Amino acid sequence: MSLNIDSISIAYGTHLVIKGLSLTIPKGAVTAIIGPNGCGKSTLLRGIAGLLPLQRGRIVLDENPVAQMRPSALARRLALLPQAPLAPEGIRVQELVTRGRTPWLRPFRPPAAADRDAVERAMHAAGVAEMRHRRVSDLSGGQRQRVWIAMAFAQETEWLLLDEPTTWLDLPHQLEVLHLIRRQSSEASRSMVMTLHDISLAARFADHVIALRDGDLVAQGPAHQVITPEVLKRSFGLKAQVIPDPLHGTPLVLPR
Amino acid sequence: MGRLLIVAAVAAVFLLDLAVGRIWLSLDDMWQVARHGPGAEHWILVYELRLPRIATAVGAGAAFGLAGGICQSLFRNPLAAPEMLGVTAGASLGAVGLVLAGFQGAVVGLGAGCGAILAVVLLLILAGGAPAVTRLILTGVGISLTASALTGLLLSRADDALAGDAMLWLTGSLNGRHWPQARLIWGALLPLLLLSVAGARWLDRLELGDDLAQSLGVPVRMARMVLILLAAALIAAAVSVTGPVGFVGLMAGPIARSLSRHSGPDLIGAALVGALIMVLADLMVTLTAFRVLLPVGIFTGLLGAPWLIWLLWRDTSERRVM
């Protein structure tokens, strides 16, 4: 039971971004995808979520090919939080989080009791319950990101893909968001897949790390196996030393 | 709360509009008409002349408002107007062509309808289905400009009297609208209104951006296509009975939004505000009709624009206080 990516190719127009990539993403874990800018991290996530057509290959979610699933059926099992979602003008926190229930709503019916419970759970998990009546546009960057994550939690999918959930946040807020994702993964036993820029943070928070370069796989596995000087050289072209983090024991990257 | 208030306002202005004219009617006169039917003294005046015109005003106003609300949400721009789809200009070209060829009456409305359908088909072909929002807007504006240019060309080469008729049609008018027009607009409005309310959930989700909407299970391309066709059908129906009355579609949405407590598009509210603007404008046409019957399109602009500016001003000054 996992997410199987079987020799997929994805192109924007004629430009091939992902080239025959094969991967297995483990279920119930936190997976981080790392790689230099433009290596196809976001494209991979969007391809998995069915937002981009596959030129070749297939993606299989627990034995069901994603391409054959209806959008609403897929949306009950897998959610994607894009890098720059748009908040409608004037929307308030609770209303936005409730939008996450869309695939579970019955046509022409307001949210049911189960939906309201899911929204409550998600808002408490993400620590945004106290600001439920505030306008999303009035919140700080860190608060706003937690609201979007609450919306994705409320969708209650087994799989949650997060595209750069920490961009534009300062370090304390990056840690806050990553702790939140980690906690949700273990408490609600959800599989999280996120793209991250910070390699040391990926090493600290992810069970499984995937390193890409030019739309191709460089390495995958537990952080201590993937985050090594050789992989960093091949993936990022970065000369770096890797030492065990004195506090957490996870790999810590020291660029030269 | 706000919505009830608008309904009451529409009803009040509706009655007032029915009473006002060359012959002023009292509430009692109208009650007699309602009670005695065709036998009543003012039956022909009320039932054959005023009622169909006002019913057309309410229906067309609601259709313009609803189409505007859909477009503003779809284009993620509070100042988007249904004119941006190019459907209005297409309808105008069709109608002006027929007026200049010497046709009058219902045939002109039919020409407007055909022009509107042609424009939306062209829009969907040129924009490649229902792709990114910007491409859709640019294509729509392109079609709109082209059709307007062709209309201008036709007008410039036409004979003066016919060109005058065509210009009058282009301002939008309710003069001489009878039951066939009222039936047409209501027959189109009611099913389209139901479909729009059903599509409102898609519209809400599309406002989150295409990626997120898709991730929430919305079939983005199909949803956008359906919503464009709905807006286009509403505009086509309204334009074919009243001509391209300006500003109603532009103003109804923002006014409804600022009256509503919820965020997001308030389609029913936009339809109600559209209807209100239109009957108010018709009332003003009747009240100023001492010498000539001015076209209703002049008053929709005169009425709605200051209202819209006041609402925007109020919203920004409230924000500043907070």
Side-chain angles (χ1 to χ4, degrees):
Chain A
M1 297 295 261
S2 56
L3 187 61
N4 276 303
I5 294 166
D6 185 8
S7 56
I8 59 161
S9 296
I10 303 175
Y12 283 116
T14 57
H15 176 61
L16 209 57
V17 182
I18 302 276
K19 299 154 190 163
L21 181 66
S22 292
L23 280 176
T24 299
I25 302 181
K27 196 165 180 165
V30 175
T31 300
I33 304 175
I34 59 169
N37 289 333
C39 72
K41 296 184 298 259
S42 297
T43 308
L44 177 58
L45 283 194
R46 298 182 72 218
I48 296 173
L51 303 181
L52 293 170
L54 303 183
Q55 306 267 307
R56 275 188 30 225
R58 58 181 206 154
I59 295 169
V60 182
L61 177 65
D62 300 338
E63 282 149 32
N64 302 295
V66 166
Q68 285 165 25
M69 294 171 79
R70 294 181 46 214
S72 53
L74 179 61
R76 291 184 190 169
R77 307 185 55 180
L78 183 143
L80 167 75
L81 183 59
Q83 204 175 129
L86 304 169
E89 205 189 326
I91 197 165
R92 290 170 202 277
V93 171
Q94 183 166 353
E95 203 181 345
L96 186 61
V97 176
T98 308
R99 297 273 155 97
R101 297 301 297 169
T102 305
W104 302 98
L105 296 179
R106 297 173 58 190
F108 307 109
R109 298 281 183 82
D115 297 310
R116 289 195 299 272
D117 291 347
V119 169
E120 284 301 317
R121 275 197 299 278
M123 284 196 301
H124 281 105
V128 297
E130 286 73 36
M131 48 182 107
R132 67 177 70 209
H133 297 303
R134 291 182 61 190
R135 282 178 202 273
V136 174
S137 53
D138 294 342
L139 302 179
S140 72
Q143 291 172 324
R144 205 174 301 160
Q145 186 61 6
R146 292 211 315 266
V147 171
W148 285 114
I149 289 173
M151 193 200 86
F153 285 174
Q155 201 171 334
E156 299 208 317
T157 51
E158 299 163 87
W159 290 87
L160 177 52
L161 316 180
L162 303 120
D163 194 1
E164 300 285 355
T166 57
T167 354
W168 301 315
L169 298 180
D170 55 30
L171 192 54
H173 286 105
Q174 289 186 29
L175 288 169
E176 189 180 78
V177 162
L178 290 169
H179 275 299
L180 179 60
I181 291 168
R182 182 79 251 176
R183 209 179 322 128
Q184 182 74 6
S185 171
S186 48
E187 282 172 11
S189 61
R190 283 189 191 161
S191 316
M192 305 280 184
V193 186
M194 57 186 169
T195 58
L196 279 184
H197 265 125
D198 191 307
I199 308 163
S200 299
L201 285 180
R204 188 172 145 200
F205 284 93
D207 306 304
H208 191 80
V209 177
I210 295 167
L212 297 182
R213 185 195 175 102
D214 291 338
D216 214 346
L217 183 68
V218 176
Q220 65 167 327
H224 65 271
Q225 282 177 21
V226 172
I227 297 176
T228 59
E230 299 77 59
V231 171
L232 294 179
K233 181 92 202 330
R234 273 166 49 213
S235 170
F236 288 87
L238 177 76
K239 283 183 190 155
Q241 202 176 335
V242 177
I243 58 165
D245 181 329
L247 288 178
H248 309 95
T250 52
L252 183 66
V253 178
L254 300 174
R256 295 220 178 137
Chain B
M1 193 51 212
R3 203 177 276 179
L4 243 120
L5 219 70
I6 307 175
V7 174
V10 172
V13 181
F14 188 102
L15 279 178
L16 195 60
D17 202 9
L18 212 52
V20 167
R22 191 156 296 167
I23 301 168
W24 287 58
L25 301 178
S26 64
L27 268 179
D28 187 51
D29 292 333
M30 285 194 275
W31 174 240
Q32 294 303 324
V33 171
R35 251 185 75 192
H36 298 296
E41 192 191 344
H42 298 294
W43 172 257
I44 293 196
L45 182 67
V46 171
Y47 185 79
E48 294 296 338
L49 294 175
R50 292 185 185 171
L51 197 57
R53 189 195 73 227
I54 303 170
T56 306
V58 174
F64 279 124
L66 188 57
I70 293 175
C71 288
Q72 281 145 10
S73 171
L74 209 54
F75 295 163
R76 299 184 193 116
N77 184 339
L79 287 179
E83 280 82 2
M84 288 162 82
L85 283 175
V87 177
T88 317
S92 301
L93 180 60
V96 167
L98 287 183
V99 171
L100 295 181
F103 289 98
Q104 281 180 336
V107 187
V108 176
L110 201 69
C114 292
I117 292 168
L118 256 159
V120 77
V121 168
L122 207 60
L123 173 73
L124 290 178
I125 291 173
L126 290 179
V133 168
T134 37
R135 178 154 173 207
L136 207 56
I137 297 179
L138 290 175
T139 312
V141 170
I143 292 172
S144 187
L145 290 175
T146 311
S148 303
L150 289 175
T151 308
L153 182 70
L154 285 181
L155 283 173
S156 67
R157 318 204 69 188
D159 134 313
D160 279 358
L162 287 176
D165 287 352
M167 287 305 292
L168 193 65
W169 188 89
L170 282 175
T171 327
S173 170
L174 288 162
N175 305 338
R177 300 306 191 263
H178 297 292
W179 283 117
Q181 283 91 357
R183 261 184 233 118
L184 186 120
I185 185 64
W186 279 95
L189 175 67
L190 290 179
L192 292 172
L193 182 70
L194 281 179
L195 288 172
S196 306
V197 170
R201 188 175 280 172
W202 278 346
L203 212 49
D204 278 350
R205 275 46 177 187
L206 286 174
E207 287 200 348
L208 301 169
D210 289 4
D211 279 6
L212 197 48
Q214 178 102 39
S215 161
L216 289 171
V218 175
V220 169
R221 289 176 74 92
M222 186 181 74
R224 187 141 57 216
M225 177 96 85
V226 167
L227 289 162
I228 288 172
L229 288 174
L230 273 176
L234 284 161
I235 299 166
V239 171
S240 68
V241 296
T242 65
V245 177
F247 300 107
V248 180
L250 173 67
M251 295 176 307
I255 291 172
R257 253 180 208 238
S258 72
L259 290 176
S260 130
R261 277 157 188 274
H262 297 277
S263 74
D266 176 9
L267 294 181
I268 302 271
L272 287 172
V273 172
L276 180 59
I277 296 175
M278 202 75 155
V279 264
L280 268 175
D282 184 59
L283 179 65
M284 290 172 73
V285 171
T286 328
L287 286 174
T288 53
F290 305 112
R291 296 200 184 84
V292 280
L293 274 175
L294 291 167
V296 72
I298 291 178
F299 288 103
T300 54
L302 282 179
L303 260 175
W307 190 3
L308 182 64
I309 290 169
W310 176 72
L311 280 171
L312 290 175
W313 177 82
R314 193 196 63 174
D315 280 3
T316 43
S317 55
E318 258 179 19
R319 282 273 160 80
R320 216 172 294 136
V321 173
M322 278 159 64

